[in-house]
Amino acid sequence: QKEVEQNSGPLSVPEGAIASLNCTYSDRGSQSFFWYRQYSGKSPELIMSIYSNGDKEDGRFTAQLNKASQYVSLLIRDSQPSDSATYLCAVMWSGNTPLVFGKGTRLSVIA
Amino acid sequence: DAGITQSPRHKVTETGTPVTLRCHQTENHRYMYWYRQDPGHGLRLIHYSYGVKDTDKGEVSDGYSVSRSKTEDFLLTLESATSSQTSVYFCAISAGPNTGELFFGEGSRLTVL
């Protein structure tokens, strides 16, 4: 069974610090990786996607992928209280399969 | 924002009653999904559709059925609701099979007493 694992948290970081969120997955054949953000009581929204090994940067967000280690991470630089949310890691194993989500990591940025 | 709406947004029902949740999109996207979200379990796929009348089961499909007679509408039915189906249900759409870029509806909170 394909699984996506995340630490549930809460992960607490001070304002201005770097938040590091981690995700591991069970199958080396995985193709595509996504990070969604979900504020309390709201629906998930896509913030990053990454398809190849290495880093991908978008503003304050950096996604990192290491397929050999089956590991994907999300770094949030200069964390703000508005970044406080649950971050969901999602994996697509092939082009014809729906996303599988991890259980999410709750991030709390303390002002 | 992607045009996707769910109805009803909130529903309280009793065990054994049928319930239908509706997802409506205005984006003409081919793929539509129903997920449920529960504390400690995250988002789990119930059913999905890859075209009109084309559907497939997800991880937690038992007790649920779906129908898609038009591109824009994807219905989720609980034939006989149970308390274990109390959850928040999210509909999502995507442009195609090779993208995990989902757009989610606002969710439907269902309580089964």
Side-chain angles (χ1 to χ4, degrees):
Chain A
Q1 184 169 346
K2 296 177 170 58
E3 295 182 341
V4 179
E5 299 287 342
Q6 296 181 256
N7 188 320
S8 62
L11 172 67
S12 293
V13 299
E15 183 176 359
I18 296 175
S20 178
L21 304 160
N22 304 317
C23 172
T24 58
Y25 55 94
S26 61
D27 191 329
R28 285 180 183 272
S30 305
Q31 212 176 58
S32 310
F33 307 86
F34 305 86
W35 285 99
Y36 285 78
R37 177 178 62 200
Q38 186 176 24
Y39 292 113
S40 180
K42 301 296 185 181
S43 55
E45 57 179 337
L46 178 69
I47 54 172
M48 289 286 288
S49 60
I50 187 166
Y51 303 97
S52 55
N53 281 329
D55 295 359
K56 179 182 178 181
E57 188 174 316
D58 184 0
R60 295 186 296 112
F61 298 97
T62 299
Q64 300 176 317
L65 175 61
N66 184 328
K67 289 189 176 182
S69 300
Q70 296 171 230
Y71 177 95
V72 58
S73 64
L74 179 70
L75 302 179
I76 306 175
R77 291 183 299 281
D78 188 23
S79 295
Q80 301 297 310
S82 59
D83 295 324
S84 298
T86 296
Y87 290 80
L88 304 170
C89 175
V91 178
M92 176 175 281
W93 265 271
S94 73
N96 293 324
T97 60
L99 287 182
V100 176
F101 285 84
K103 295 178 182 179
T105 297
R106 188 158 57 93
L107 173 67
S108 178
V109 180
I110 310 300
Chain B
D1 290 345
I4 177 170
T5 56
Q6 293 184 227
S7 59
R9 295 288 315 283
H10 301 273
K11 186 172 182 66
V12 179
T13 192
E14 294 189 348
T15 298
T17 59
V19 175
T20 296
L21 305 180
R22 179 181 184 239
C23 179
H24 179 78
Q25 62 149 330
T26 59
E27 304 297 316
N28 201 34
H29 284 330
R30 181 181 172 192
Y31 282 72
M32 300 184 76
Y33 307 84
W34 277 108
Y35 286 89
R36 62 177 288 176
Q37 188 171 41
D38 306 287
H41 290 279
L43 277 167
R44 293 181 291 174
L45 182 67
I46 305 171
H47 283 279
Y48 67 103
S49 170
Y50 45 95
V52 174
K53 299 191 188 303
D54 292 324
T55 65
D56 206 349
K57 296 179 180 180
E59 176 189 359
V60 290
S61 59
D62 287 349
Y64 302 94
S65 62
V66 290
S67 65
R68 192 166 178 203
S69 59
K70 299 183 291 184
T71 298
E72 57 266 37
D73 289 325
F74 191 33
L75 304 180
L76 177 71
T77 297
L78 292 66
E79 298 291 348
S80 178
T82 68
S83 58
S84 65
Q85 294 175 312
T86 292
S87 186
V88 178
Y89 292 85
F90 286 102
C91 178
I93 59 175
S94 73
N98 292 317
T99 175
E101 297 179 5
L102 301 186
F103 299 98
F104 285 85
E106 294 180 309
S108 296
R109 181 174 294 276
L110 176 66
T111 302
V112 184
L113 302 177

